[in-house]
Amino acid sequence: MLSAILPSDPLLSNPFSAFAGGFTPPWDCHDDPLSDYLKPSTEPKPVTSSSGSGGPILTHEKRKPDPDEPDQSAEPVIDERKRRRMISNRESARRSRVRKQRHLENLRNQLNKCRMENRELNNRLQFILYHLNRVRTENEWLRSERTVLQERISEYAQILVLQQLQPSFSTAWNCNLTE
């Protein structure tokens, strides 16, 4: 489609040619008695506006177009580009803040989840340590009980051996006494 427009087309030379003779700025209306106060002077005046990026941006007020000067139509295009870029930058910064906030919220959720898991693991550890101490205590008691029982068995074994040997000693003893 762009190839259908020839380079000699008058629209390409000046895209604002439709306003060349028919556009009258509002400050050129002589019907209004306040128009003299609203009309800017021929010298540009700096105007400050807050951009949110730190300091003021200096711009110049629009002057009345002078027929001898070259067309200033590129300036509104640049201002429009700046305005669009500023809007785009603001939107990008807003999206970045939202992403950062979402990321921070995710990190907080993970932190809370890890804290809960840590608390649960700590409780389980305490439970296991409690039971470990009980088992150790019971194990020590059983070992001491085993030692006591082994001593008793040893004593009973000695008694049995003595009882089994006693009849043979008693007959031998009696034999020695009768002679």
Side-chain angles (χ1 to χ4, degrees):
M1 292 211 174
L2 292 177
S3 61
I5 300 175
L6 299 175
S8 62
D9 194 358
L11 287 177
L12 289 178
S13 63
N14 185 2
F16 300 100
S17 62
F19 297 106
F23 180 72
T24 305
W27 54 80
D28 282 346
C29 296
H30 294 289
D31 301 341
D32 189 4
L34 296 176
S35 64
D36 293 333
Y37 295 108
L38 297 176
K39 187 187 301 184
S41 65
T42 56
E43 296 180 25
K45 297 179 184 176
V47 177
T48 61
S49 68
S50 176
S51 67
S53 63
I57 297 176
L58 294 177
T59 59
H60 296 287
E61 288 185 8
K62 303 279 184 209
R63 292 186 301 170
K64 181 178 174 183
D66 189 10
D68 296 335
E69 287 186 11
D71 191 18
Q72 299 284 332
S73 63
E75 191 173 305
V77 172
I78 292 173
D79 286 345
E80 179 64 21
R81 284 183 190 161
K82 284 183 182 179
R83 187 183 67 76
R84 278 187 283 170
R85 188 171 56 236
M86 187 170 58
I87 291 171
S88 173
N89 287 346
R90 284 180 184 164
E91 184 62 26
S92 175
R94 187 191 66 78
R95 286 191 308 266
S96 177
R97 285 190 301 271
V98 167
R99 269 194 315 271
K100 184 178 179 181
Q101 187 175 5
R102 199 173 332 142
H103 180 66
L104 189 62
E105 189 64 31
N106 286 340
L107 289 176
R108 284 185 184 136
N109 289 339
Q110 286 179 0
L111 176 65
N112 289 335
K113 183 178 177 182
C114 288
R115 282 181 177 166
M116 287 175 50
E117 185 178 350
N118 190 16
R119 194 175 308 124
E120 181 182 327
L121 290 173
N122 194 15
N123 289 341
R124 288 174 56 189
L125 176 65
Q126 294 301 320
F127 179 77
I128 289 171
L129 289 176
Y130 170 75
H131 284 288
L132 174 68
N133 286 332
R134 279 188 59 195
V135 167
R136 280 185 179 165
T137 304
E138 186 178 349
N139 201 8
E140 288 174 14
W141 180 82
L142 289 172
R143 281 189 183 137
S144 66
E145 187 72 20
R146 182 189 68 177
T147 305
V148 168
L149 291 174
Q150 282 177 342
E151 288 175 3
R152 280 189 187 171
I153 289 173
S154 176
E155 290 173 3
Y156 289 141
Q158 287 175 358
I159 292 173
L160 282 176
V161 169
L162 286 175
Q163 283 180 353
Q164 288 173 356
L165 291 177
Q166 188 178 15
S168 55
F169 280 132
S170 65
T171 55
W173 188 266
N174 289 337
C175 291
N176 285 340
L177 292 177
T178 54
E179 289 180 22

